[in-house]
Amino acid sequence: MKPRIAEPCDIDRLRTAYPSAFAPGYARRAAALAGISAVVGLFIFGVVWLGFSPSALVQGISKLGVILKLMFPPTAGQHMLVYLQALAQTLSIALLGTMLAALVAFPLSFLAARNVVGRWLLRFLTKRVFDAIRGIDTLVWALIFINVVGLGPFAGILAVAMSDVGAFGKLFSEAIETASPKPVEGVLSTGASKIQEVRFAIVPQVLPLLLSQVLYYFESNIRSATVIGIVGAGGIGLYLSNEIGQQSWDHVSFIILMILITVAIIDAVSGRLRRSIIGAQARS
Amino acid sequence: MAELTDTAQQRATGLLRDYGAAVRAKRIRAAMYFVALVICVLAASWSGEVDLRKFVEGLPRFGSYFRDITPTLRPATLGSDIAEWYWNFPVWLELLLETLLVAYVGTLAGATLGFFLCFFTSANISGNRTVSFVVKRALEFCRTVPDIVFALLFVFAIGLGPVPGVLAIAIHTAGALGKQFAEVIENIDLKPVEGLRSTGANWVDQIQFAVLPQVTSNFASYVLLRFEINVRGATVMGFVGAGGIGKELLGSIRQFYYSDVSAILLMIIATVVVIDLLTERLRHRLLGTAKV
């Protein structure tokens, strides 16, 4: 029974045996210090350049305190029905936008997947288009679609769909690329065409994963759908920005509360659905 | 011999029957989900004022919109055409830098706040249940309210400019990162923590010497991801007057300065793609060294 761990008195012996482990490591420390001071330096530069001033900040925070006090108690006043309708519209925008995006992105994502499309150029172009679409925020798409189909929730649906096509295209094609090649070989050995290969070898493998990603995006789209009303593309955001503009703070807090509750409910329901979809895949 | 084939056949028919029943059950379930989905979609289309005629009418306009914002570039006068397209380049560049700084300062401030709060909410190392519950709900509030809503409120309280944008991004980031940080901590190996506790180290020492070395690279990776997200978010802060390129973009879209729209959008896309590539490379390096 020899002890396997070094006794404290062995430290000197260990120090001579492994000098590098006990070396002070100035170079690493200097590099870390340089990195940290660069990060902090840029932060301080940013704070100065963006015009943070302590007095304005203190004033703003005290004003925020007043606003917070006026927010209680939250009340809808006469507008309960209008708010509920707008909230339903927000949910509709999120649902239809997500579904439209999934339907459009599903066929396109195969074009960007390495194991489906052999041509390098086509794949590269599809991927870059997805990147470009994702680079533009939903609110910008909302503004553009307002120019195309006019003010209202329809522009919101298209905006949510557009920015999600980019996200889904990337996620779907990555999921397709991780699909196992074995079923593909099996299906190909029967003389199947490209379409049959995709339908019977790849789609069954990736469908549960794709569905759970779509549900996840539905959850996050509810958050974006609450704000596209700010630029006039339908939903509760319009009322939120109007009430802030009119300084009806008790209505503002009521709307925020409504949004929080809705998001919590949808998260719970869709989280359960997602787990059951992924669980079904793990069991079979 | 005949008997044997019979049983095999019987077994085969039995299997086929079971298979048919299983497939039918699955199809019925799928059909039920599908019907539920169709009902939801119909209800949503009604509430979302979906008008297919408007869509069909709008579709060509969508194409022509992109044709309109495409600048006229002729090979003969390419230089002057580009100069005309990017006539306001210095101003846009400065606003774009401002946007990046808003995202950077907001991300770093929010990450710092989330860093200090996450230790109170991770189930495995936070001591006090009540504190943990309160901090958790506060973080949830911060990340559920969209950053642009915070920006609207702050613009009202503090005034126009990038400062409310930074604060809005910081608060939203604190909520999102606080949760992700706490999840990282909940997955660490607790043995080093126990080892330190056995030497009589206090809570702060335990975190510094047992928790932090395990989580730093994951934390940094999440911060970089959040920075990517916040760069996108900062581009629209200007829509509500909270600084950055958004104000110019809003103006050019609303007033139909077509070529300006494409010029600014192209600058934003290029910036976002470059930032994505850089942070992705950094994250791979961070996580790569962490795994070895």
Side-chain angles (χ1 to χ4, degrees), chain A residues 39 43 49-50 63-64 88-89 92 99 134 139 143-145 147-149 153-154 157 227 231 247 249 260, chain B residues 41 44 47-49 54-55 58 61-62 65 101 104-105 144 146 148 153-154 156-157 162 232 239 250 253-254:
Chain A
V39 168
F43 182 80
W49 203 62
L50 295 175
K63 205 169 166 191
L64 260 184
Q89 201 171 65
S92 308
M99 276 191 48
R134 271 185 310 127
L139 273 180
L143 275 179
I144 291 176
F145 278 111
N147 280 353
V148 174
V149 294
F154 195 38
I157 294 171
V227 297
V231 297
Q247 306 187 37
W249 299 112
L260 287 177
Chain B
V41 167
S47 140
E49 297 169 25
K54 212 156 96 185
F55 181 60
R61 242 180 301 156
F62 184 61
Y65 188 79
L101 270 183
Y104 179 81
V105 176
T144 308
I148 201 133
L153 284 175
F154 292 158
F156 196 87
R232 286 188 176 80
F239 285 15
L250 183 76
I253 295 179
R254 285 251 163 102

Side-chain angles (χ1 to χ4, degrees), chain A residues 158-243:
Chain A
L158 295 177
V160 169
M162 194 70 181
S163 60
D164 271 18
V165 164
F168 281 154
K170 181 181 175 351
L171 286 174
F172 287 3
S173 63
E174 279 168 5
I176 292 166
E177 280 178 354
T178 58
S180 159
K182 281 183 188 144
V184 178
E185 281 167 22
V187 170
L188 279 183
S189 73
T190 64
S193 68
K194 194 82 199 170
I195 301 282
Q196 285 169 329
E197 174 202 329
V198 167
R199 163 66 185 88
F200 292 105
I202 294 179
V203 168
Q205 284 191 64
V206 297
L207 203 57
L209 185 60
L210 301 197
L211 277 181
S212 90
Q213 280 168 347
V214 170
L215 274 174
Y216 185 78
Y217 265 78
F218 172 59
E219 288 169 41
S220 91
N221 279 339
I222 289 186
R223 291 178 180 80
S224 16
T226 54
V227 297
I228 51 179
I230 293 174
V231 297
I236 192 88
L238 175 68
Y239 295 96
L240 186 58
S241 68
N242 276 352
E243 301 293 5

Side-chain angles (χ1 to χ4, degrees), chain B residues 227-248:
Chain B
F227 177 60
E228 270 181 52
I229 297 170
N230 286 343
V231 169
R232 286 188 176 80
T235 56
V236 295
M237 280 295 159
F239 285 15
V240 297
I245 191 104
K247 195 187 73 186
E248 281 285 310

Side-chain angles (χ1 to χ4, degrees), chain B residues 23-83:
Chain B
V23 166
R24 219 168 309 130
K26 211 176 141 191
R27 291 221 169 120
I28 288 174
R29 241 186 74 183
M32 266 160 53
Y33 275 122
F34 187 71
V35 170
L37 187 66
V38 167
I39 291 173
C40 286
V41 167
L42 287 180
S45 322
W46 175 74
S47 140
E49 297 169 25
V50 170
D51 188 346
L52 283 180
R53 215 179 39 218
K54 212 156 96 185
F55 181 60
V56 174
E57 273 169 23
L59 216 52
R61 242 180 301 156
F62 184 61
S64 66
Y65 188 79
F66 279 92
R67 224 178 10 259
D68 284 341
I69 67 171
T70 312
T72 39
L73 297 177
R74 284 148 303 199
T77 53
L78 194 62
S80 60
D81 279 352
I82 288 181

